[in-house]
């Protein structure tokens, strides 16, 4: 099922580990050495600091993989830092990177408020600060911000879930109040389910520093208090497996389904495990925002172009629903249903036209 909407690392974990509800580790995410550029025009060497709020999220890996596909093509070096779900740590890591003399700061999904000291320091040093991946409470705090369209994917999932669970079914939500994306997805999912008149029995925020344990605790509470519970909505991909495993442990996998976002390195293998409660995810080539960030930085450095945050709204991102019937193959190195080659080739062609004569 596809919803035609306009908007806008590899890892090695066994299916058994994912089925146990473990968040992906960050060993496969590391600082990237400067590569030999593959574009034909001259490009100055740059070092980009990249801070990820929560690199254990498989979707975050998709953002980073697209970003580094772009920086690799340009021969730029990337220094990667993982804040492990702690916004305060994200700010500290960003400040450390700025003091190391990076040429630009890119942050994925740490919101504006906790990042203000780092953003102020970057501005004082003339270092551009760009956000890629999530909506911000204060977009203007950044030189540019490129979020995916969480409302579009959320509404698409909500519509699908509403049709699957039927009218007046009980639904529990694993939400988030730290990242604005979680709030937007929750609201959009509820709107998408409005026609089914779903009964929301709980909408609790998961502690991002204890994803597995807290997700299990919340789902257990929902199951105990609601014997007729029909579904769990996990607003982030890394909530889905802990939710599903809790449902299986309670012996209710035949009655309670899990729905979430992104056919990624966590959800695809988990959906394929025997008796998995995870029934569907909404997805689209949303990681294009990572390449867009590189494109905007190149324009800034190469031609002194102003940053354009509205560029994310012009990305073509069709949203589709993945179920067990149409899941992509998930080999050992699987990351995304949308291989980066198509998109990096488009950008390299664009860059050659814009900068090939320079």
């Amino acid at each position: 099922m596809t919803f035609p909407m306009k908007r806008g690392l590899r890892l090695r974990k066994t299916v058994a580990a994912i089925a146990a509800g473990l968040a992906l580790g960050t060993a496969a995410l590391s600082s990237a050495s400067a590569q030999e550029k593959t574009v034909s025009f001259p490009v100055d060497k740059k070092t980009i600091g990249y801070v990820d709020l929560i690199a254990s999220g498989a979707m975050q890996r998709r953002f980073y993989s697209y970003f580094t596909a772009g920086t690799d093509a340009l021969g730029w070096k990337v220094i990667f830092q993982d804040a492990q779900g702690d916004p305060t740590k994200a700010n500290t890591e960003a400040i450390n990177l700025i003091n190391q003399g990076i040429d630009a700061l890119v942050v994925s999904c740490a919101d504006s408020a906790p990042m203000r000291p780092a953003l102020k320091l970057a501005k004082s040093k003339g270092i551009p600060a760009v956000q890629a991946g999530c909506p911000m409470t204060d977009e203007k705090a950044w030189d540019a911000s490129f979020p995916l369209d969480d409302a579009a994917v959320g509404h698409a999932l909500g519509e699908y879930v509403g049709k699957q669970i039927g009218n007046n079914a009980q639904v529990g939500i694993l939400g988030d109040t730290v990242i604005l994306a979680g709030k937007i997805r929750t609201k959009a999912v509820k709107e998408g389910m409005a026609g089914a008149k779903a009964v929301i029995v709980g909408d609790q925020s998961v502690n991002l520093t204890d994803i597995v344990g807290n997700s299990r605790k919340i789902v257990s509470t929902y199951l105990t208090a609601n014997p007729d519970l029909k579904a769990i909505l996990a607003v982030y991909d890394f909530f889905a497996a802990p939710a599903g495993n809790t449902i299986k442990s309670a012996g209710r996998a035949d009655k309670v389904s899990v729905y979430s976002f992104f056919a990624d390195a966590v959800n695809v293998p988990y959906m394929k495990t025997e008796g998995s409660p995870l029934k569907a995810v909404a997805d689209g080539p949303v990681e294009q925002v990572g390449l867009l960030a590189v494109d905007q930085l190149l324009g800034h450095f190469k031609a002194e172009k102003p940053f354009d945050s509205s560029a994310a709204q012009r990305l073509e991102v069709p949203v589709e629903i993945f179920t067990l019937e149409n899941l992509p193959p998930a080999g050992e190195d699987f990351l995304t249903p949308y291989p980066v080659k198509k998109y990096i080739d488009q950008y390299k062609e664009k860059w050659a036209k814009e900068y090939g004569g320079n």
Side-chain angles (χ1 to χ4, degrees):
M1 181 179 296
T2 301
F3 296 77
M5 302 180 185
K6 182 175 181 179
R7 172 69 162 87
L9 337 186
R10 299 180 59 172
L11 55 96
R12 296 179 181 272
K13 286 287 181 179
T14 64
V15 172
I18 296 171
L22 300 176
L24 290 172
T26 59
L29 282 174
S30 59
S31 299
S33 300
Q35 304 294 310
E36 287 297 323
K37 69 181 179 69
T38 58
V39 294
S40 58
F41 54 89
V43 183
D44 291 339
K45 295 288 186 180
K46 299 293 180 183
T47 297
I48 314 299
Y50 190 105
V51 178
D52 196 321
L53 176 63
I54 184 161
S56 61
M59 188 62 237
Q60 294 302 111
R61 293 171 179 269
R62 285 168 58 173
F63 292 142
Y64 185 67
S65 71
Y66 267 52
F67 181 79
T68 53
T71 56
D72 285 352
L74 298 173
W76 290 354
K77 177 182 178 181
V78 179
I79 303 176
F80 177 85
Q81 296 292 330
D82 175 20
Q84 300 176 318
D86 185 347
T88 301
K89 185 177 180 181
N91 178 68
T92 300
E93 290 174 340
I95 290 174
N96 289 339
L97 288 169
I98 293 167
N99 287 331
Q100 289 178 40
I102 56 174
D103 296 295
L105 173 68
V106 176
V107 177
S108 185
C109 295
D111 205 4
S112 309
M115 294 299 298
R116 289 196 189 281
L119 295 176
K120 182 178 179 180
L121 179 62
K123 185 175 182 179
S124 71
K125 292 179 176 288
I127 296 172
V130 174
Q131 192 285 139
C134 290
M136 297 285 101
T137 53
D138 182 5
E139 301 282 356
K140 294 182 179 179
W142 306 81
D143 288 292
S145 180
F146 307 115
L148 67 88
D149 191 347
D150 289 289
V153 291
H155 197 275
L157 182 65
E159 284 187 351
Y160 178 83
V161 172
K163 293 176 182 177
Q164 300 305 305
I165 63 178
N167 291 336
N168 302 308
Q170 294 183 348
V171 178
I173 297 176
L174 288 178
D176 173 47
T177 56
V178 173
I179 305 174
L180 181 59
K183 298 178 183 178
I184 294 174
R185 289 182 200 173
T186 298
K187 181 176 182 291
V189 166
K190 289 178 179 178
E191 291 173 349
M193 293 191 299
K197 299 179 180 178
V199 179
I200 307 301
V201 300
D203 179 3
Q204 293 193 40
S205 179
V206 175
N207 182 346
L208 297 183
T209 62
D210 182 23
I211 292 169
V212 175
N214 200 228
S215 294
R216 287 178 177 271
K217 180 179 179 180
I218 293 171
V219 173
S220 292
T221 300
Y222 289 161
L223 291 170
T224 301
N226 304 281
D228 295 323
L229 187 69
K230 196 70 174 286
I232 293 290
L233 283 168
V235 300
Y236 298 145
D237 49 1
F238 40 78
F239 294 169
N245 292 333
T246 304
I247 291 167
K248 289 178 71 174
S249 296
R252 291 171 65 177
D254 59 333
K255 296 181 179 179
V256 183
S257 299
V258 177
Y259 300 93
S260 190
F261 295 87
F262 308 126
D264 55 29
V266 170
N267 283 337
V268 170
Y270 185 67
M271 194 184 296
K272 290 183 177 182
T273 59
E274 185 177 355
S276 174
L278 180 59
K279 301 303 181 185
V281 294
D283 205 346
V286 295
E287 57 265 63
Q288 291 179 70
V289 295
L291 269 173
L292 179 58
V294 178
D295 175 63
Q296 293 275 316
L297 286 170
L298 178 61
H300 169 77
F301 290 129
K302 188 75 174 171
E304 297 184 349
K305 291 183 179 180
F307 289 103
D308 179 13
S309 291
S310 67
Q313 300 172 16
R314 297 189 291 275
L315 294 175
E316 292 288 346
V317 186
V319 180
E320 57 187 318
I321 300 297
F322 285 96
T323 66
L324 193 59
E325 285 67 37
N326 67 335
L327 278 182
E332 194 173 54
D333 298 321
F334 175 77
L335 188 64
T336 173
Y338 312 102
V340 70
K341 185 179 186 305
K342 168 185 174 181
Y343 300 97
I344 186 61
D345 285 350
Q346 291 174 353
Y347 273 101
K348 288 170 72 173
E349 181 179 353
K350 172 181 181 290
W351 295 338
K353 291 178 180 178
E354 293 182 2
Y355 310 116
N358 296 334

